[in-house]
């Protein structure tokens, strides 16, 4: 890897489904610099391509100047541009015999037994992905219920298509999905699912998997507390002994539809250089990602990065667009502050505590576990009891579901004096212009 520090870094090379300290670096960007990425669809394509060791195709890790373990990486999401003109998605069905412990990770040919076999495409449909060794259908997944979506030119709406439209798109699947040159996945449009034709959907692109490199290697889709459960006791190279081994995760796989242009993400740094990685762009997604999958697309991102020294967090923090915050977690208006001062004078309160929005990401096996994880992270961040965290989040915030079964965003209006102590105040003020 070149050690040259670049003010602007373009990244267009990808891993084969893993994130960890041994992955080849994409390059080094300056503290305060800009990263441009062009990524392929991250989920369905890698899922049906048996060469992959994880369920996503994300960028190689990006080294950030000055980032050391114990710091935090601030990522301002400036732009997300969808380049695909269509995609297919839905709920999944696993194919018996095409994997060992985990259909996302330890793929094998169900006939010849080759592990992570090279594969070729023969025709279209759910039997199109063939083992290069024996010719058997080597994909681990099909659709339990699937649909194909075509996008308008502005990527503002998508329309589900019927059998003829899905078949047409499957015939030029690589082109329609705009796969980057160095992508190694087979495009999911090949499967040509055609349920719910004529359904019109709003598009609002965001980044589903973005974060920093964990200190141990994980399949990229499993760098989270819910998908990471599949690793516990698994009989493959990335199997974990118990739940505590998941503490090494950095929760890059969030699938929060608020991680979109205008938002700011603050990530823990676990290795020298941080190892920022990006992928899993989605054209849209309802809260919770109820099918476990959504509209995976190729696309470009523009990200500005900077380092906060010695923040020492163990999971991401999110500063979403103001419009994406719960109503009661919005920044105070001048009129609200004035009303608060009047109430303070009337009821013998010395000071009205200044506060600003912050979201703590939590993940776990279930939504309840993820919420408990977010409570614990918030308590550690601000040296608060769980009771105080629950109280502040009930009165000035709330919990939102990013993904089932277990990723949440815990909102609160955090006291500014605590944000100052933790070195977050300037970033929060910049995000919300306060």
């Amino acid at each position: 890897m070149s050690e040259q520090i670049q003010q602007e870094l373009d990244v267009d090379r990808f891993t084969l489904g893993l994130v960890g300290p041994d992955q080849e670096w994409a390059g080094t960007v300056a503290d305060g610099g800009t990263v441009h990425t062009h990524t392929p669809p991250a989920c369905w394509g890698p899922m049906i391509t048996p060469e992959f060791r994880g369920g996503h195709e994300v960028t190689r890790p990006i080294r950030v100047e000055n980032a050391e373990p114990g710091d935090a990486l601030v990522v301002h999401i400036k732009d997300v541009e969808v380049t695909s003109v269509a995609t297919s998605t839905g709920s999944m069905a696993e194919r018996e015999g095409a994997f060992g412990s985990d259909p996302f990770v330890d793929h094998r040919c169900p006939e010849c037994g080759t592990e992570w076999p090279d594969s070729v495409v023969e025709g279209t449909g759910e039997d199109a992905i063939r083992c290069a060794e024996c010719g058997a259908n080597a994909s681990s997944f099909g659709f339990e219920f699937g649909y194909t979506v075509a996008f308008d030119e502005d990527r503002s709406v998508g329309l589900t298509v019927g059998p003829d439209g899905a078949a047409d798109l499957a015939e030029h699947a690589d082109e329609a999905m705009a796969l980057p040159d160095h992508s190694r996945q087979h495009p999911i449009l090949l499967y040509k699912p055609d349920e719910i034709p004529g359904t019109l959907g709003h598009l609002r692109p965001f980044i589903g998997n973005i974060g920093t490199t964990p200190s141990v290697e994980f399949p990229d889709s499993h760098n989270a507390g819910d998908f990471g459960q599949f690793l516990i006791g698994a009989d493959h190279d990335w199997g974990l002994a118990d739940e505590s081994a998941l503490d090494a995760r950095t929760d890059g796989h969030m699938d929060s539809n608020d991680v979109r242009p205008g938002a700011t993400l603050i990530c823990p740094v676990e290795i020298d250089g941080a190892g920022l990685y990006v992928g899993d762009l989605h054209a849209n997604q309802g809260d919770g990602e109820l099918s476990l999958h959504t509209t995976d697309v190729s696309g470009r991102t523009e990200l500005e990065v900077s380092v906060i020294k010695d923040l020492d967090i163990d999971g991401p923090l999110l500063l979403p667009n103001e419009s994406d915050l719960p109503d009661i977690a919005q920044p105070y208006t001048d009129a609200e502050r004035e009303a608060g001062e009047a109430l303070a004078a009337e009821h013998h309160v010395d000071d009205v505590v200044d506060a600003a929005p912050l979201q703590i990401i939590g993940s776990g096996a279930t939504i309840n576990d993820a919420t408990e994880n977010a409570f614990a992270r918030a308590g550690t961040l601000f040296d608060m009891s769980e009771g105080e965290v629950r109280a502040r989040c009930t009165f000035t915030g709330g919990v939102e579901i990013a993904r089932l079964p277990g990723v949440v965003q815990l909102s609160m209006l955090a006291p500014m004096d605590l944000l100052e102590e933790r070195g977050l105040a300037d970033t929060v003020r910049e995000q919300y212009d306060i």
Side-chain angles (χ1 to χ4, degrees):
M1 182 203 73
S2 171
E3 293 294 337
Q4 180 181 0
I5 298 171
Q6 301 184 54
Q7 191 63 36
E8 294 200 19
L9 178 68
D10 293 318
V11 180
D12 63 354
R13 299 292 180 121
F14 318 106
T15 74
L16 203 59
L18 298 171
V19 291
D22 295 330
Q23 292 295 311
E24 184 175 356
W25 292 94
T28 304
V29 67
D31 183 358
T34 301
V35 174
H36 301 274
T37 71
H38 183 197
T39 57
C43 203
W44 273 105
M47 282 167 53
I48 66 170
T49 306
E51 293 95 318
F52 279 81
R53 273 66 168 169
H56 288 169
E57 188 173 19
V58 300
T59 65
R60 290 178 180 174
I62 298 154
R63 185 186 295 274
V64 180
E65 178 191 23
N66 296 329
E68 300 173 310
D71 296 339
L73 184 68
V74 179
V75 184
H76 299 288
I77 302 168
K78 309 301 289 186
D79 191 34
V80 177
E81 175 194 0
V82 175
T83 54
S84 299
V85 301
T87 193
S88 296
T89 189
S91 50
M92 65 191 188
E94 299 170 1
R95 291 191 59 248
E96 186 176 352
F99 60 92
S101 299
D102 187 331
F104 295 93
V105 178
D106 55 340
H107 303 142
R108 66 188 181 201
C109 176
E111 290 196 13
C112 69
T114 302
E115 295 182 330
W116 298 291
D118 292 338
S119 57
V120 295
V121 174
E122 295 183 4
T124 60
E126 291 197 9
D127 60 352
I129 312 302
R130 298 283 176 170
C131 173
E133 292 291 326
C134 71
N137 185 350
S139 172
S140 294
F141 293 99
F143 282 113
E144 183 271 331
F145 187 98
Y147 52 98
T148 294
V149 186
F151 307 138
D152 71 330
E153 185 175 354
D154 294 335
R155 310 303 194 271
S156 61
V157 296
L159 182 71
T160 55
V161 303
D164 291 343
D168 287 345
L169 288 164
E171 291 297 330
H172 58 281
D174 283 24
E175 178 185 353
M177 297 213 75
L179 294 181
D181 290 341
H182 301 295
S183 174
R184 289 174 281 186
Q185 67 178 262
H186 299 307
I188 190 57
L189 281 172
L190 290 169
Y191 273 23
K192 57 184 183 187
D194 56 20
E195 302 283 0
I196 57 172
T199 303
L200 188 65
H202 304 283
L203 303 186
R204 195 176 78 164
F206 69 99
I207 308 171
N209 198 342
I210 175 172
T212 45
T213 296
S215 58
V216 299
E217 190 170 75
F218 284 98
D220 49 15
S221 51
H222 293 28
N223 183 23
D226 53 354
F227 272 68
Q229 299 295 317
F230 296 131
L231 301 177
I232 298 173
D235 186 21
H236 55 63
D237 290 347
W238 302 276
L240 302 177
D242 51 38
E243 181 80 26
S244 66
L246 263 181
D247 290 345
R249 71 187 188 272
T250 56
D251 277 344
H253 185 200
M254 293 176 288
D255 282 333
S256 166
N257 56 19
D258 292 336
V259 182
R260 66 186 187 93
T264 296
L265 187 65
I266 304 171
C267 306
V269 174
E270 302 294 338
I271 67 169
D272 284 328
L276 174 68
Y277 66 90
V278 183
D280 198 24
L281 273 59
H282 298 154
N284 74 343
Q285 177 195 293
D287 291 350
E289 195 178 21
L290 300 180
S291 290
L292 294 183
H293 304 284
T294 188
T295 46
D296 305 322
V297 290
S298 298
R300 302 180 186 277
T301 73
E302 179 181 342
L303 313 167
E304 291 182 358
V305 298
S306 59
V307 176
I308 298 177
K309 301 301 290 184
D310 302 320
L311 182 56
D312 195 22
I313 53 177
D314 65 354
L317 307 173
L318 180 62
L319 304 176
N321 285 275
E322 189 170 326
S323 60
D324 293 337
L325 287 163
D327 289 344
I328 65 171
Q330 300 272 334
Y332 302 127
T333 65
D334 289 343
E336 288 168 339
R337 292 174 188 276
E338 184 176 339
E341 293 291 349
L343 284 168
E346 180 181 356
H347 294 283
H348 315 292
V349 176
D350 292 336
D351 294 299
V352 177
V353 175
D354 196 12
L358 182 72
Q359 290 187 338
I360 298 94
I361 303 297
S363 74
T366 67
I367 292 300
N368 285 349
D369 291 330
T371 304
E372 289 288 348
N373 176 243
F375 288 157
R377 286 175 170 175
T380 299
L381 178 66
F382 293 126
D383 193 22
M384 287 182 187
S385 68
E386 183 174 316
E388 182 175 353
V389 171
R390 285 176 178 264
R392 289 188 179 278
C393 293
T394 300
F395 189 54
T396 70
V399 66
E400 299 172 90
I401 300 172
R403 178 183 65 236
L404 295 177
V407 180
V408 301
Q409 298 158 231
L410 183 69
S411 300
M412 75 160 68
L413 285 168
M416 286 301 302
D417 60 345
L418 296 182
L419 293 173
E420 291 279 5
E421 288 178 15
R422 299 298 276 125
L424 289 165
D426 289 345
T427 303
V428 174
R429 288 193 185 101
E430 179 184 357
Q431 177 70 15
Y432 298 114
D433 194 24
I434 54 178

